[in-house]
Amino acid sequence: MHLTPKTISAQIIYYLSHHPHPHHIRDSASRYLYINLAMSELLNVSPGTLVEGQGLSEINPAHAGFFEGIKKQEERVMQRRTSASLLITGHFVKENRLQPYIFDIHPFFDETGQLIGTLAQARQCQFFSALDYIQGKSPKTLTTQPPNTMLTQRELQISFYYYQGLSQKEVAECLHLSHRALDNTLQGIYEKMGVCHEKEFKKFLEDKGLTQFILPHLLVSNIRVID
């Protein structure tokens, strides 16, 4: 499955094959020259799939929609001989979970110095606010699966928007709720949590890992260039 064309040095193949992060090398036409095990798992490539000479849509048709967007950025990287980073939200790994990953794409040269394609590394996108930094917190990855099931779906929606700093009026508008309905539900949330005010409410969400939760409908498959 992991082919090693003569244009790629044995040292690079050795390094990438043992690397825990997903990597791949593609030629100037965005066809695969090499893909390590971690990238195969990320893209959910079936065992035994012929990779060399194939495009993304050929090794996994489920990702066909991303092919042109990624190819365009790879062409830009090769033309400018400079790196680029993409934020790609898609269905990854065997579980086919919709989640954001950062793909760092670099020009790739053979041992003679000739530009032959691109090398990319993928990593799970982690989120970090200025306030998190000030408070000494670490970046976190998002999840659409809440780690705590004590809240209903509606209560999770309200908690999500309220934690992000939206006012009660803004939360009510997002969820198409009346002010009274929102106020009553929020009061019920406080009672379930055993808290009395906003500071305790936010601490409860942080302690239970609910601050990493994002409403599934807010994640949309797309490609964005990171400036």
Side-chain angles (χ1 to χ4, degrees), residues 128-138 163 199 202 206:
F128 196 53
S129 69
L131 184 59
D132 288 336
Y133 174 80
I134 293 170
Q135 294 177 343
K137 298 176 183 177
S138 300
Y163 182 82
K199 186 176 182 180
K202 291 189 174 182
E206 292 166 358

Side-chain angles (χ1 to χ4, degrees), residues 10 33 39 50-51 58 69 87 118 136 150 177 203 216 222 226:
L33 294 174
M39 183 65 85
L50 176 65
V51 172
E58 294 166 312
L87 176 60
T118 59
M150 69 177 293
L177 294 173
K203 187 176 187 307
N222 58 37
I226 301 175

Side-chain angles (χ1 to χ4, degrees), residues 12-27:
I12 291 177
I13 295 296
Y14 176 82
Y15 173 76
L16 296 183
S17 65
H18 291 81
H19 204 289
H21 292 164
H23 285 79
H24 69 225
I25 299 172
R26 309 217 294 181
D27 65 16

Side-chain angles (χ1 to χ4, degrees), residues 93-227:
V93 300
K94 188 175 181 179
E95 292 77 15
N96 203 33
R97 294 193 303 266
L98 184 62
Q99 52 193 315
Y101 270 79
I102 294 175
F103 281 68
D104 298 311
I105 304 174
H106 313 280
F108 184 73
F109 303 85
D110 64 15
E111 291 187 296
T112 67
Q114 181 179 354
L115 178 64
I116 62 171
T118 59
L119 181 151
Q121 174 182 341
R123 50 196 166 93
Q124 224 174 347
C125 184
Q126 296 187 316
F127 293 82
F128 196 53
S129 69
L131 184 59
D132 288 336
Y133 174 80
I134 293 170
Q135 294 177 343
K137 298 176 183 177
S138 300
K140 304 285 186 182
T141 55
L142 297 180
T143 177
T144 55
Q145 300 295 323
N148 188 297
T149 57
M150 69 177 293
L151 300 178
T152 66
Q153 187 64 28
R154 176 60 82 187
E155 289 170 340
L156 281 170
Q157 292 173 339
I158 292 172
S159 297
F160 172 81
Y161 285 116
Y162 199 44
Y163 182 82
Q164 303 307 317
L166 274 66
S167 66
Q168 288 196 33
K169 181 181 179 182
E170 290 171 325
V171 174
E173 290 175 351
C174 285
L175 298 176
H176 307 290
L177 294 173
S178 67
H179 178 75
R180 175 173 291 183
L182 175 62
D183 196 50
N184 289 339
T185 306
L186 191 57
Q187 184 177 348
I189 294 172
Y190 274 36
E191 291 176 357
K192 277 188 177 182
M193 294 179 175
V195 302
C196 299
H197 50 74
E198 183 179 343
K199 186 176 182 180
E200 291 180 342
F201 163 78
K202 291 189 174 182
K203 187 176 187 307
F204 179 92
L205 294 179
E206 292 166 358
D207 291 344
K208 297 298 183 180
L210 284 166
T211 56
Q212 297 168 243
F213 171 72
I214 183 171
L215 299 172
H217 72 275
L218 296 179
L219 281 179
V220 180
S221 295
N222 58 37
I223 299 176
R224 304 181 192 180
V225 178
I226 301 175
D227 295 329

